[in-house]
Amino acid sequence: DQQVKQNSPSLSVQEGRISILNCDYTNSMFDYFLWYKKYPAEGPTFLISISSIKDKNEDGRFTVFLNKSAKHLSLHIVPSQPGDSAVYFCAASARTNAGKSTFGDGTTLTVKP
Amino acid sequence: NAGVTQTPKFRVLKTGQSMTLLCAQDMNHEYMYWYRQDPGMGLRLIHYSVGEGTTAKGEVPDGYNVSRLKKQNFLLGLESAAPSQTSVYFCASSYPRGSTYEQYFGPGTRLTVT
């Protein structure tokens, strides 16, 4: 049973518009959530994170929202730029679990000029 | 500061051959991880280590062994490669900083087993 799900394999948006990537989780023990960005032939790089004690975290054009009751988080990118085109992975971890993260399958974002 | 490096970048093995993938980090991180990524899927944890001399199994450990003799290095071994182990392998490291567990990844090793 997949504990972290990204139900949209791909998303295409126009440059300048908002990109919204979604992620659902099932394990109530998760208390920290992260988004990673991955370009082809490179390793993932950390983008933004949120603790379960918060419902929003912002970093420049990137905002992550957490809805604990729905076990749902989303990543908003505003405005989207062509350089944002990449695979985005949602990950969840539990503080008591040696920093291990469980990853979703990723969403491929394409931002069209 | 090189971050996390992986050796080799590419490798082709025949079924039954063995090999070792090397991961090195220069950030003095305590925790290290090995993942595999198959097409259309996320990263699945193979083995991990919370410190020098310690290792533990992850989600998909069968067919792999690991060792962490030095804090900066984490080795992943395939004793008898199988076609099902064709994948891209990523190493990562992290250190507990408050409540954050962000991981720093290497560039990956693309392994093909024929």
Side-chain angles (χ1 to χ4, degrees), chain B residues 44-61:
Chain B
R44 292 185 292 169
L45 184 64
I46 304 171
H47 286 281
Y48 66 100
S49 167
V50 298
E52 183 179 315
T54 73
T55 63
K57 294 180 180 180
E59 182 187 356
V60 289

Side-chain angles (χ1 to χ4, degrees), chain A residues 30-46:
Chain A
F30 290 145
D31 56 9
Y32 202 76
F33 304 90
L34 310 96
W35 285 93
Y36 289 86
K37 178 178 181 179
K38 184 183 180 305
Y39 291 118
E42 294 184 11
T45 55
F46 169 74

